[in-house]
Each structure stands twice: as structure tokens, then as C-alpha cells.
């Protein structure tokens, strides 16, 4: 099969930190174009936006959307209507209805849509999933606490409606938990802390329950300075299973089992090549559904204003 000719849309932090290197390292896909209002790459065809790119005559087979979630729907829709395969950064969109509309459109157009969850590609996730399928899970506790000033300097969109606030990282934890849990679960309570001057929460405390009565609690907070915490602790009938460092380390019954280098984005592009090659899509929107529920059932608490 010839290599997929790919365009990146939105050449910002994650595109530069992860996508460019991962594309370079993946067989079967080549970067041929960029669409970004304020950024360009030497030696690559560059356009200010996806519409100009699609009208340019430059041949692309697929686009990878690395823009913020607000506005992503229009870009994805334009690409799908032009017959391009589409890879979506997380979260896949700003609303639930729009992502299901994209899924239906991709199917109608006969192209692949890949809603990516990079945290699911962390080294400990699949081993944890396998282990938990063989044990009885008693409870799950998620702690996802980081310093927003360090990780999102100057990013105004994350504080706007649709930017998700602390759920921008929190949805990564939910993408892991929805993958490793042996049964599905639903939200039962949500406390959201909104800075007085912002439209998105800076912290969230959630409780979920599975049909079988497993309690899942999650504490997300963007105000943590010093050491950062991205941990998921699962209590089982045979002892604790703990994922730390965002899912890249696994500790089983107190013993470290997996400590691996990050291959998340290389795995994602490898999977995208496979999906396009086999004419399939991968669209699990369950983490976004849980986040939407957190807003729907959320009690709004107003906290101290946040300044960058
Ligand atoms: P970012 O640094 O703000 O980059 C996004 C780029 O999209 C901008 O540089 C901008 O480039 C373009 N853009 C188009 N419309 C925009 C708009 N209305 N507002 C702002 N930028 C717009 O954001 P990012 O951190 O790369 O995040 C992008 C997506 O990747 C998000 O969904 C995020 O959750 C996800 N992600 C981020 C990280 C991370 O560590 N940062 C990790 C994993 C996933 P032009 O101005 O040139 O158009």
C-alpha cells in the first residue's frame, strides 16, 4: 500500500512535542502539508487553514487535527466531506452530538475516523486491563493533579466553554479507566470548582458506580505545584494494582512490574495506518460522555479567581 499523505491541522504544542516526531518514526505515513494560521514548517506545503489546504490541489489522503476541541467539528467535517481519513486529538470534540455526527459522516463517506486517546497507549494500560479481567475489582481511586501554569502556559482556549478546564487532563485518566475496568460505570456525583473569573473548572471531584457496585472516585486538580500526580489505584481481591506516571508504570501488590519509555504517539500513528489500510474506524467516545455527564450532574462551586 502506498504511504498515507498526511496534513497536520493546528501546529501548536502537542503537534510539535509529539506528532511530528511520531509521524517521522512511523512507516506508511508521511507529512506533506500543514494548515495553521500562525505557524509553518520548512520544506512542507503550508496553508492558513484546512479550507485553503483542501482547495489547493496539494494531494493529501488524511488529516490529523491538533487544534483545540472548539472548532474541530467544522475542520473534521470539511475533511470527511473531501474524502479524507481523519485522526482526532483528544477530546474528539466539544459536544457529544457532534462526535456522533462525525462518526456517521465518516461511515457514509467510506473513510476512516480515529478518535485517539493517547493515554491508553501508555505501557501499563494493556497489562493492567488483562490483570483486572482475571481479578475481582473492589474499588478504583483516581488522583490526577497537575500545575496548569506549567503545562498550559498562555492557552486561553482551555478556560473557554468547550475547553474543558481541568477535564482536559482529567479525560486522559478517564480514557485509561474506561479501558482497564472489566465493567462499565456511570456518574453518581460531581463537584466542580470554577474560578470566579473563568468559564471552565479548575478542579473536579467525581464519584462513579458500576452496575456491579464498584465505586470509582476521581479527584482532578490543576492547582498542584511541586511533584505532579497522575495515579490510578485499583483495589482487588488479590491486592492493589496501581498505575502511576500517567499509566507508564505498573505496581502490582507493591512490586514495580513495568517502567517503560513513552511510545504513545508512535502507537497512535501505527494504529491509524492500520485503520486506514483495513478501511476501519475507531471511535470510542466513552471518556467524553463521562465528562459531559460531570458537567450535566455537576454542582458548581465558585473558588478564587485564576490569573496566568
Ligand atoms: P495549542 O498549543 O494551543 O495548539 C493548538 C493550535 O491550534 C494552535 O497553535 C493554533 O495554531 C491552532 N488553532 C486553531 N484554532 C485555534 C483557536 N481557536 N484557538 C487556539 N488555537 C487554535 O494546544 P495544544 O496543547 O497543542 O492542544 C491541542 C489539542 O491537543 C487539545 O485538544 C489538547 O487536549 C490535545 N493535547 C494536548 C497535549 C499537551 O500536552 N499540550 C497533550 C495531549 C493532547 P495557529 O494559531 O497557527 O492556527
Amino acid at each position: 500500500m502506498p504511504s498515507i499523505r498526511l496534513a497536520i491541522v493546528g501546529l501548536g504544542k502537542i503537534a510539535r512535542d509529539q506528532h511530528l516526531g511520531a509521524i517521522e518514526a512511523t512507516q506508511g505515513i508521511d507529512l506533506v502539508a500543514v494548515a495553521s494560521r500562525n505557524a509553518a514548517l520548512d520544506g512542507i506545503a503550508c496553508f492558513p487553514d484546512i479550507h485553503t489546504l483542501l482547495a489547493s490541489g496539494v494531494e493529501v489522503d488524511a488529516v490529523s487535527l491538533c487544534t483545540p476541541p472548539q472548532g474541530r467539528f467544522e475542520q473534521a467535517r470539511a475533511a470527511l466531506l473531501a474524502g479524507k481519513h481523519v485522526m482526532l486529538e483528544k477530546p474528539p470534540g466539544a459536544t457529544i452530538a457532534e462526535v456522533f455526527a462525525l462518526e456517521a459522516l465518516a461511515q457514509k463517506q467510506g473513510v476512516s475516523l480515529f478518535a485517539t486517546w493517547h493515554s491508553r497507549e501508555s505501557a501499563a494500560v494493556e497489562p493492567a486491563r488483562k490483570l483486572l479481567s482475571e481479578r475481582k475489582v473492589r474499588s478504583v481511586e483516581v488522583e490526577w493533579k497537575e500545575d496548569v501554569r506549567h503545562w498550559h502556559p498562555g492557552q486561553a482556549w482551555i478556560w473557554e466553554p468547550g475547553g474543558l478546564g481541568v477535564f482536559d487532563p482529567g479525560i486522559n485518566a478517564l480514557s485509561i479507566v474506561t479501558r482497564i475496568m472489566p465493567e462499565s460505570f456511570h456518574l453518581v456525583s460531581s463537584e466542580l470548582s470554577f474560578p470566579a473569573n473563568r468559564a471552565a473548572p479548575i478542579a473536579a471531584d467525581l464519584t462513579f458506580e458500576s452496575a456491579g457496585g464498584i465505586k470509582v472516585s476521581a479527584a482532578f486538580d490543576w492547582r498542584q505545584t511541586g511533584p505532579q500526580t497522575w495515579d490510578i489505584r485499583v483495589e482487588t481481591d488479590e491486592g492493589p494494582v496501581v498505575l502511576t506516571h500517567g499509566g507508564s508504570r505498573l505496581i502490582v501488590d507493591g512490586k514495580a512490574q513495568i517502567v517503560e519509555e513513552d511510545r504513545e504517539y508512535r502507537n497512535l500513528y501505527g494504529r491509524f495506518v492500520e485503520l486506514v489500510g483495513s478501511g476501519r474506524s475507531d471511535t470510542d467516545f466513552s471518556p467524553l460522555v463521562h465528562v459531559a455527564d460531570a458537567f450535566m450532574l455537576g454542582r458548581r462551586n465558585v473558588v478564587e479567581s485564576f490569573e496566568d
Side-chain angles (χ1 to χ4, degrees):
M1 204 184 85
S3 242
I4 298 165
R5 295 164 297 185
L6 180 79
I8 279 187
V9 181
L11 191 60
K13 184 171 189 319
I14 198 60
R16 290 183 189 279
D17 286 0
Q18 295 288 349
H19 288 249
L20 294 180
I23 295 162
E24 185 74 39
T26 305
Q27 281 202 341
I29 192 159
D30 297 313
L31 184 68
V32 298
V34 164
S36 209
R37 299 162 309 179
N38 303 297
L41 277 184
D42 282 349
I44 296 278
C46 292
F47 303 90
D49 56 55
I50 189 165
H51 304 289
T52 325
L53 161 69
L54 293 173
S56 69
V58 168
E59 292 192 5
V60 299
D61 307 303
V63 301
S64 179
L65 299 183
C66 304
T67 45
Q70 310 101 319
R72 186 104 57 66
F73 174 74
E74 277 312 323
Q75 297 158 346
R77 186 168 175 277
L80 293 172
L81 285 173
K84 312 301 177 196
H85 307 287
V86 172
M87 177 159 154
L88 301 168
E89 248 301 349
K90 49 65 53 170
T95 71
I96 301 296
E98 76 184 43
V99 295
F100 283 106
L102 291 180
E103 183 182 49
L105 182 58
Q107 200 172 13
K108 184 167 168 232
Q109 294 291 98
V111 293
S112 299
L113 178 66
F114 184 19
T116 67
W117 300 105
H118 66 88
S119 292
R120 284 186 177 174
E121 302 301 330
S122 295
V125 173
E126 282 313 308
R129 173 182 160 91
K130 186 165 181 303
L131 199 61
L132 295 179
S133 72
E134 294 157 0
R135 291 186 176 194
K136 188 170 164 39
V137 174
R138 296 200 194 286
S139 65
V140 182
E141 203 178 320
V142 179
E143 243 193 304
W144 222 253
K145 297 180 176 173
E146 61 177 51
D147 181 354
V148 64
R149 288 189 177 86
H150 178 80
W151 299 104
H152 297 279
Q155 289 183 342
W157 61 265
I158 52 170
W159 293 109
E160 293 301 318
L164 299 191
V166 75
F167 288 101
D168 178 75
I171 202 168
N172 298 335
L174 293 172
S175 76
I176 295 178
V177 181
T178 47
R179 181 80 188 151
I180 64 175
M181 272 285 279
E183 58 188 76
S184 64
F185 52 89
H186 61 275
L187 188 74
V188 291
S189 79
S190 166
E191 293 277 334
L192 306 177
S193 299
F194 284 78
N197 60 343
R198 301 286 178 164
I202 196 165
D205 283 290
L206 313 175
T207 311
F208 303 86
E209 223 172 74
S210 74
I214 302 168
K215 188 176 158 197
V216 179
S217 63
F220 302 152
D221 205 317
W222 248 350
R223 297 166 294 194
Q224 175 140 317
T225 53
Q228 308 283 281
T229 310
W230 297 291
D231 295 346
I232 298 169
R233 182 181 178 88
V234 185
E235 298 296 342
T236 77
D237 57 341
E238 295 171 52
V241 173
V242 184
L243 292 93
T244 67
H245 297 75
S248 59
R249 301 189 188 180
L250 183 65
I251 302 159
V252 180
D253 310 328
K255 293 191 200 88
Q257 306 264 316
I258 290 179
V259 180
E260 266 191 28
E261 64 154 327
D262 164 34
R263 289 187 52 88
E264 294 178 17
Y265 279 82
R266 275 175 284 168
N267 290 353
L268 289 180
Y269 276 99
R271 172 114 180 99
F272 188 49
V273 170
E274 265 175 39
L275 288 171
V276 170
S278 57
R280 287 174 302 136
S281 288
D282 180 346
T283 51
D284 175 12
F285 301 131
S286 58
L288 187 67
V289 170
H290 287 307
V291 170
D293 282 357
F295 280 94
M296 189 148 64
L297 204 60
R299 180 179 301 282
R300 180 190 170 97
N301 301 314
V302 177
V303 298
E304 192 183 345
S305 289
F306 176 84
E307 307 301 341
D308 279 320

